[in-house]
Amino acid sequence: MSYIFPRRVLRAQDVLDPIELTLDISPAAERLSGRLNAHNFNQNIAATVPVQADTFYALGHYQYPVPFIWTGASPDWGYPDAAFAPGLAYQVQNNFEWNTITQTAGGTPASFTISTGNSVLWINAYAQYLWYGFDRTSAFWTGFTPRNQHRHEAQYEPANMQFAIRVDGNIIPETITGIDDLTYRPSVPLKPRTQRSSVSILPGPADIRGEQTVALGPPCLPVRLGALVPVQAGIHIVDIVVRRAPLINANNIKTYKSSDKVYIFSRQLNVVDLKSFPTDSVGGSEVSAPAWDEEELITTTEIYTDRVQRIITRSNTIQEGNLSRGALMHYHLPSPLRGAYTTEIHYPTGEIFNNKMPGQNSDTVTLSHYGGSPPTGWALVTDFGAAPGGPLYLSAIPTLTAQKILVLANVQVRNIKGGEIAGTGDQRAAEIAAFALFRIMWQSTTEAPTTWHSGTTPGAVPSAVSDGMVNNFVWWPSDPTSGVDPTDPQQRSPLPAYGLEQVEVPLMMLIDLSTVSPAIPAVNIGVFCGTSGLALSATACEFEIRFGSITALAFRA
């Protein structure tokens, strides 16, 4: 709808034509009945005007915290795959079919259903998986030898996990964690060095069967996926799915044993409906200005009361339903975000941590991160010395207005070790059953430095919903300088002295502060870490952090 410009100015001695009189008044009535658009607003809506949060966006969140089942007790906790049933963890099928993650067998799936108009869905998904087989209490463990660190030889073969986001039954290809085509083989130009024979390589381009790199390999790892998906108006189902790829190496295709199991623990799914047009749930209202008939009397009642006054009254009391689609643009409406906060930290020399995790059911925090006698408690990721860097946290996010805070964090970890990599004998081989754990936690700015919470709402019990865990998945033998790798059938290269894993640990959490409390004027949000796993010697498990980032998006609640 454009602006209304006067068609003419009524002058003395003009002939009062009924058509022209009608056209002087009726356009204003038509504009009101036809709804207002962006041309009718020349300034932003005041911040004091209440606007429903789902008018121009909607946020939905699914979460299901599943704590790990540990074989031991504090402070080491042992291994997170006790022989008994894993409780509410979801078992992934070994058939390379996409699985919907459910809470229990045949139970509620990890999905979210949302009704939208023409929109773009911003999706973030999170899941933690664990390949069972670390339990050293069984008869399988006969001592520390190369092939008994994991029941299914995780130090030699990958877990082969793939995750993806699915919308309305369709996998979003860009979100698959790995190569989708298992039959893919690279074509490499080869130059043979021997005469052609039944065993020699033919000249020219050839397809080579290489090592399989189509899926996630570590025995345990947190995974976070994201996507922006345009959708049409209707009801949409969003879920996170998982499958296990078959293992194809240079010699054969492995068949998984019935005891070879991978479980999905804590998982989350966050969906933000970015509406193309604001929601309109109120019917429009109309105003009429009757047209003049031939020889109709010209009186104050006919001109003003029955026509002009109606339009004036309706113009001064615009109804909600008079807003047309697109009437309020993004520059008219308050932002769906209360605020956006982020920080990125680089620890050039690396920060080493060996503090012990206090357990999933505890939010105990320690202010000490490293020592010969490791402290017990979650430690804030920070530089505890004089090295440059700083704490991996966001401070003083105001919360006196209702909001939901989506937190996304990443930590780069390396050299998770159990025992001494630089030691002698068997201790040179780092134990893969050494674990680094991470958790997003928050506190009110009025609380003590050691009072932090992992529950997603004020007063909630400690929760494992944001917990992420990764193990020392790079294994090295006790005598690396002699001979070649015994697992390499082609005997291609000698073993290196030792190796360091480099792994990106993603985390995610939604903090629900929909209920405003004067006791929580602002919050601090940080990334905490701890270790677990029985070390081979008195030397505690430890790991190093090189980089970290954390972002918080405070949505209107």
Side-chain angles (χ1 to χ4, degrees):
M1 182 185 76
S2 61
Y3 294 104
I4 303 175
F5 296 96
R7 298 173 58 87
R8 66 192 178 101
V9 177
L10 189 63
R11 295 179 176 86
Q13 299 181 350
D14 278 356
V15 176
L16 298 179
D17 184 278
I19 296 178
E20 292 182 343
L21 284 176
T22 298
L23 293 178
D24 286 340
I25 298 175
S26 61
E30 291 172 358
R31 296 304 189 273
L32 287 173
S33 300
R35 301 187 179 187
L36 305 178
N37 70 12
H39 292 291
N40 302 107
F41 301 91
N42 61 2
Q43 63 182 3
N44 297 343
I45 293 179
T48 56
V49 175
V51 178
Q52 293 182 352
D54 60 357
T55 299
F56 45 93
Y57 95 100
L59 183 149
H61 190 79
Y62 165 94
Q63 62 185 30
Y64 197 63
V66 181
F68 300 107
I69 301 174
W70 298 90
T71 58
S74 178
D76 292 311
W77 293 104
Y79 306 92
D81 58 355
F84 48 87
L88 299 176
Y90 173 78
Q91 181 181 341
V92 181
Q93 304 303 306
N94 292 334
N95 55 8
F96 196 49
E97 296 291 337
W98 288 112
N99 298 183
T100 299
I101 303 172
T102 58
Q103 293 180 3
T104 56
T108 304
S111 66
F112 187 80
T113 302
I114 186 169
S115 179
T116 74
N118 293 330
S119 302
V120 174
L121 299 183
W122 179 33
I123 306 168
N124 285 283
Y126 177 85
Q128 166 76 53
Y129 75 83
L130 172 65
W131 187 3
Y132 261 38
F134 289 105
D135 186 7
R136 292 183 64 186
T137 63
S138 70
F140 174 80
W141 295 93
T142 58
F144 186 71
T145 58
R147 287 192 174 274
N148 70 352
Q149 293 198 59
H150 191 273
R151 186 183 301 272
H152 305 293
E153 300 183 350
Q155 66 271 28
Y156 293 98
E157 297 174 350
N160 270 6
M161 300 302 297
Q162 287 191 331
F163 292 82
I165 293 173
R166 185 169 61 186
V167 178
D168 296 335
N170 299 311
I171 299 295
I172 308 302
E174 295 79 6
T175 65
I176 298 175
T177 55
I179 300 174
D180 187 30
D181 185 2
L182 289 181
T183 63
Y184 171 78
R185 292 291 181 270
S187 292
V188 181
L190 299 174
K191 183 178 180 180
R193 291 181 294 181
T194 61
Q195 295 296 321
R196 178 175 178 177
S197 67
S198 60
V199 295
S200 66
I201 301 175
L202 298 176
D207 289 336
I208 305 174
R209 179 181 291 276
E211 296 294 333
Q212 185 181 24
T213 57
V214 299
L216 301 173
C220 62
L221 192 70
V223 179
R224 192 178 73 230
L225 310 175
L228 288 168
V229 183
V231 294
Q232 298 297 318
I235 298 176
H236 305 283
I237 300 177
V238 182
D239 54 359
I240 177 174
V241 293
V242 62
R243 67 181 178 182
R244 194 176 186 194
L247 178 62
I248 306 175
N249 55 31
N251 297 322
N252 55 26
I253 300 177
K254 176 183 176 180
T255 301
Y256 294 113
K257 298 176 291 187
S258 59
S259 60
D260 194 342
K261 301 176 182 179
V262 179
Y263 290 95
I264 308 299
F265 284 74
S266 295
R267 50 265 194 186
Q268 301 178 61
L269 186 64
N270 185 272
V271 181
V272 182
D273 174 14
L274 304 175
K275 301 177 185 293
S276 300
F277 303 101
T279 299
D280 182 7
S281 58
V282 180
S285 58
E286 297 184 359
V287 59
S288 61
W292 265 282
D293 295 327
E294 295 286 343
E295 300 182 0
E296 188 173 350
L297 293 176
I298 302 300
T299 65
T300 301
T301 300
E302 294 294 335
I303 294 179
Y304 184 76
T305 304
D306 292 347
R307 291 176 172 85
V308 176
Q309 180 62 47
R310 291 182 183 181
I311 298 173
I312 293 174
T313 301
R314 183 64 68 193
S315 297
N316 291 333
T317 58
I318 294 293
Q319 302 297 309
E320 294 180 9
N322 280 101
L323 293 176
S324 65
R325 174 174 288 189
L328 298 179
M329 306 301 289
H330 64 88
Y331 48 79
H332 289 128
L333 295 171
S335 171
L337 290 177
R338 295 291 188 187
Y341 315 86
T342 186
T343 188
E344 181 177 337
I345 304 295
H346 175 209
Y347 306 105
T349 58
E351 285 297 321
I352 299 177
F353 297 81
N354 72 347
N355 54 292
K356 296 290 186 178
M357 178 200 68
Q360 265 90 1
N361 296 324
S362 173
D363 283 341
T364 299
V365 170
T366 177
L367 299 180
S368 177
H369 73 297
Y370 187 82
S373 177
T376 298
W378 297 101
L380 178 66
V381 174
T382 186
D383 56 331
F384 288 88
L392 188 56
Y393 86 128
L394 302 168
S395 62
I397 297 176
T399 56
L400 288 180
T401 53
Q403 56 193 280
K404 295 181 179 180
I405 305 176
L406 178 63
V407 184
L408 305 174
N410 287 74
V411 180
Q412 187 195 68
V413 181
R414 75 171 192 172
N415 195 17
I416 307 168
K417 60 181 182 180
E420 298 176 350
I421 288 182
T424 59
D426 286 344
Q427 289 183 10
R428 181 182 289 273
E431 185 176 8
I432 68 172
F435 304 93
L437 295 101
F438 298 87
R439 167 177 287 188
I440 296 174
M441 300 175 73
W442 63 276
Q443 66 168 186
S444 170
T445 52
T446 60
E447 293 181 300
T450 56
T451 303
W452 291 78
H453 316 281
S454 64
T456 55
T457 56
V461 298
S463 170
V465 65
S466 71
D467 285 9
M469 180 177 68
V470 64
N471 75 311
N472 175 8
F473 55 85
V474 176
W475 179 88
W476 302 93
S478 59
D479 190 11
T481 58
S482 64
V484 294
D485 187 349
T487 66
D488 182 359
Q490 300 179 18
Q491 303 288 289
R492 290 172 292 191
S493 60
L495 293 167
Y498 62 90
L500 303 178
E501 66 281 321
Q502 302 273 0
V503 59
E504 185 85 2
V505 178
L507 302 171
M508 175 175 160
M509 183 180 185
L510 184 73
I511 304 173
D512 191 344
L513 298 174
S514 301
T515 302
V516 177
S517 171
I520 309 178
V523 295
N524 304 322
I525 305 173
V527 177
F528 289 75
C529 64
T531 66
S532 185
L534 298 174
L536 292 175
S537 68
T539 302
C541 172
E542 63 184 43
F543 62 88
E544 180 182 341
I545 293 179
R546 300 301 302 275
F547 299 94
S549 66
I550 182 171
T551 299
L553 302 175
F555 290 90
R556 296 166 59 94

